[in-house]
């Protein structure tokens, strides 16, 4: 197993936001029962730039379990190109922070993230266009392809290598403020 350090990080220090990024933890700080150094940061007072608090909320990209650590335990944010494929598949299964409970809310979208070779894990259910946009924002720097489908399983948004390819710019302009599925889900 590869050991990640500062050279593997795109950003380090307290002046950066960790929320919505894959972070590297110091080997000595890995929470009990967890494996690996790679975690997705979902928030916490310690996740903000120049944080007032210390705690960061994390999801293990080895086990998918939620845990917490201290900001001082974070080496930095991992360079996206260094994220191993198995960690990408685990990342694809994380719903955005603040996503509505699927037990009491109806899913409106399904989201999929694909590796370069076409492999993917099961889809993730999302309850709103905002959740779909948040999912794409979480995934687009790390995944080769992200696909959002509506409840009828029709594609409404596709991002490849961090760039939106469907709907294209012309279609977005033609639809303007239309209420079509996917309207308002434009990614930058």
């Amino acid at each position: 197993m590869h050991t990640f350090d500062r050279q593997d990080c795109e950003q380090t220090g307290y002046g950066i936001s960790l929320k919505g990024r894959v972070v590297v933890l110091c080997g000595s700080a890995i929470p009990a029962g967890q494996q690996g150094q790679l975690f997705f940061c979902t928030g916490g007072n310690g996740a903000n730039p120049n944080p007032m608090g210390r705690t960061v909320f994390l999801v293990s990209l080895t086990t998918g379990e939620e845990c917490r650590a201290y900001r001082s335990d974070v080496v930095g944010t991992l360079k996206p190109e260094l994220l191993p494929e198995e960690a990408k598949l685990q990342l694809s299964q994380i719903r955005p922070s603040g996503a509505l409970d699927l037990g009491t809310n109806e899913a409106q979208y399904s989201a999929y993230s694909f590796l370069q070779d076409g492999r993917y894990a099961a889809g993730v259910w999302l309850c709103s266009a905002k959740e779909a946009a948040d999912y794409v924002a979480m995934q687009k720097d790390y995944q080769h392809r992200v696909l959002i489908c509506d409840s009828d399983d029709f594609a409404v948004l596709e991002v490849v290598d961090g760039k939106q390819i469907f709907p294209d710019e012309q279609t977005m302009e033609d639809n303007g403020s239309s209420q079509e599925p996917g309207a308002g889900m434009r990614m930058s």
Side-chain angles (χ1 to χ4, degrees):
M1 178 182 276
H2 178 76
T3 301
F4 295 95
D5 57 29
R6 286 180 73 84
Q7 290 86 287
D8 298 316
C9 294
E10 153 177 270
Q11 296 181 315
T12 60
Y14 284 86
I16 63 168
S17 174
L18 303 178
K19 187 173 181 180
R21 304 301 302 165
V22 173
V23 299
V24 176
L25 286 189
C26 301
S28 61
I30 296 171
Q34 297 297 325
Q35 308 167 20
Q37 293 177 269
L38 302 179
F39 293 80
F40 182 76
C41 181
T42 59
N45 289 332
N48 300 319
N50 304 310
M52 297 299 265
R54 302 177 353 159
T55 304
V56 292
F57 298 113
L58 307 168
V59 177
S60 168
L61 294 184
T62 303
T63 65
E65 294 177 17
E66 295 179 359
C67 59
R68 54 177 74 188
Y70 292 123
R71 175 67 181 243
S72 58
D73 297 331
V74 175
V75 176
T77 59
L78 184 72
K79 293 176 183 172
E81 65 272 14
L82 297 180
L83 188 63
E85 288 184 346
E86 291 305 313
K88 288 179 183 183
L89 291 172
Q90 187 68 51
L91 176 63
S92 75
Q93 298 301 289
I94 300 172
R95 295 178 73 229
S97 294
L100 298 172
D101 180 357
L102 290 168
T104 56
N105 293 278
E106 185 176 341
Q108 300 294 315
Y109 299 96
S110 55
Y112 306 89
S113 292
F114 297 84
L115 301 178
Q116 186 80 31
D117 65 7
R119 285 184 294 148
Y120 68 101
V124 174
W125 294 110
L126 304 168
C127 298
S128 68
K130 180 186 180 328
E131 286 182 24
D134 290 349
Y135 179 86
V136 172
M138 295 171 44
Q139 303 292 335
K140 71 179 183 157
D141 291 340
Y142 301 102
Q143 308 289 354
H144 168 64
R145 177 177 172 226
V146 180
L147 179 66
I148 304 294
C149 297
D150 66 13
S151 58
D152 293 321
D153 211 25
F154 289 105
V156 295
L157 185 87
E158 184 173 11
V159 174
V160 175
D161 294 329
K163 304 229 183 313
Q164 182 175 325
I165 63 164
F166 178 78
D168 61 17
E169 288 291 326
Q170 187 62 49
T171 303
M172 294 293 288
E173 288 176 19
D174 290 349
N175 285 339
S177 61
S178 115
Q179 294 301 312
E180 293 295 313
M185 288 177 44
R186 184 176 192 181
M187 304 299 131
S188 55

